[in-house]
Every structure is written in C-alpha cells, then in structure tokens.
Amino acid sequence: MAFPEVSTSRLKLRRVRESDLDAFAALEASLRAREEPPRKPPEVLDCARFLNAFVEVWDRGEHGYWTILLGERVAGFGGVQPKLWRDRRCWNLYYRVAPEFWGMGIATETARAAIAAGASAQPGWPVLVETSPSNASAIRVAERVGLTRQPACPDGEYAVLLLEPGA
C-alpha cells in the first residue's frame, strides 16, 4: 500500500515527480553552498539521476520519497522508501530541507508522517537512517522521532539510527 499524498497540519507531502528537477537541483546547490568549505553545485544530470531513482520507486508500485510543500513552495524532499539493510527489509528515512526553511520543524514533521505511512504499509519493517557521523542535524531529527543510535559500523562511514517495529 503506497501513500502518494499525505497532509500534516502544515505540509503537503506528495510523490516525487520528474518535474521537481529544478527544485531538487536548487536544494542540492543551496546545501552544498553551506558546506565548509563550500562545494560547487551538482550537475543537473546527476540530480536528474537521483530524482529519477526516487520516481522509479513509485513507478514500481512501492512507497517512495515525497516532495515537501509548505503552501505552494517546495521546502524539501523526504519520506521513506524500501531498502535492504543487513539482509532485512526496512524503511530508509530521508529528509532534506532547503536552508530557508531550517528551524521550522519541517524535517521532523515529515519524518513523523513518513514513519506512520511506512508502519501502515509494512508494519514489520524497521525504520533506518544512515548519515554522516558529523551530520548532527539529521541525527537530532532521527532521535527526536524515536530512532536510536546503533553501534558504529566497522568502517565508521555512517552513523546508523534505527526504530524497530512496535518500539
């Protein structure tokens, strides 16, 4: 069961579309510009590949990531989509919010809606976040919505946070 559109008290969360490419590329460019040191914007073709992969999940009939709308403005992208992790089917939780919307709780609100949608579609699947160990904001959002930090991966490349079903 997929939920291509969900509304929260403030947000409209709808399935990602190929027509979201400009907003997706702008988001990625704005996030890279804030890195230290700043990185150059991604190539549009690279953004299109990522976005098309998001669209393909929906096209296969599975639940995928949403475009996050605050009013008529694209505030970011996020949600859950299936992932195989350590030989387990799980929901990969993802949230990227444009800097002009930071501090408004949009990532947290999206994450809560995504966890609920995932639990409704596949209640036995855990919810997973894998992020850079230095991404304190993403880790805080994951913890705020109930995920707990797992032991470090041997390579230390990712911080892993998990929410087990029924927890």
Side-chain angles (χ1 to χ4, degrees):
M1 175 186 337
F3 299 89
E5 192 168 298
V6 170
S7 293
T8 70
S9 61
R10 299 181 301 158
L11 306 174
K12 179 179 172 184
L13 308 168
R14 64 151 171 80
R15 114 180 227 166
V16 172
R17 303 177 187 147
E18 290 175 3
S19 61
D20 292 325
L21 179 58
D22 289 344
F24 187 76
L27 169 65
E28 291 300 316
S30 68
L31 293 174
R32 286 182 177 203
R34 289 181 165 262
E35 292 177 3
E36 194 54 49
R39 287 190 296 155
K40 68 177 186 164
E43 298 293 327
V44 174
L45 192 56
D46 292 332
C47 289
R49 276 196 277 281
F50 273 104
L51 194 69
N52 287 338
F54 296 169
V55 169
E56 286 172 7
V57 172
W58 287 105
D59 289 348
R60 288 193 308 264
E62 297 180 287
H63 191 316
Y65 299 140
W66 294 309
T67 300
I68 304 167
L69 299 166
L70 179 63
E72 298 299 315
R73 296 184 62 201
V74 174
F77 296 86
V80 291
Q81 72 177 27
K83 179 174 184 163
L84 188 61
W85 177 76
R86 297 184 182 169
D87 297 323
R88 290 178 76 184
R89 296 286 287 169
C90 66
W91 291 112
N92 188 67
L93 179 60
Y94 170 83
Y95 34 86
R96 288 180 74 78
V97 175
E100 63 262 33
F101 297 101
W102 287 357
M104 298 173 64
I106 289 172
T108 302
E109 194 170 329
T110 300
R112 286 191 175 117
I115 290 168
S120 182
Q122 289 292 340
W125 289 9
V127 178
L128 170 75
V129 167
E130 291 178 301
T131 190
S132 165
S134 65
N135 192 344
S137 298
I139 292 169
R140 273 195 308 276
V141 169
E143 290 174 337
R144 195 174 295 131
V145 298
L147 282 75
T148 56
R149 194 111 183 224
Q150 303 300 298
C153 297
D155 61 13
E157 184 178 355
Y158 293 106
V160 176
L161 296 97
L162 196 66
L163 175 63
E164 290 288 352

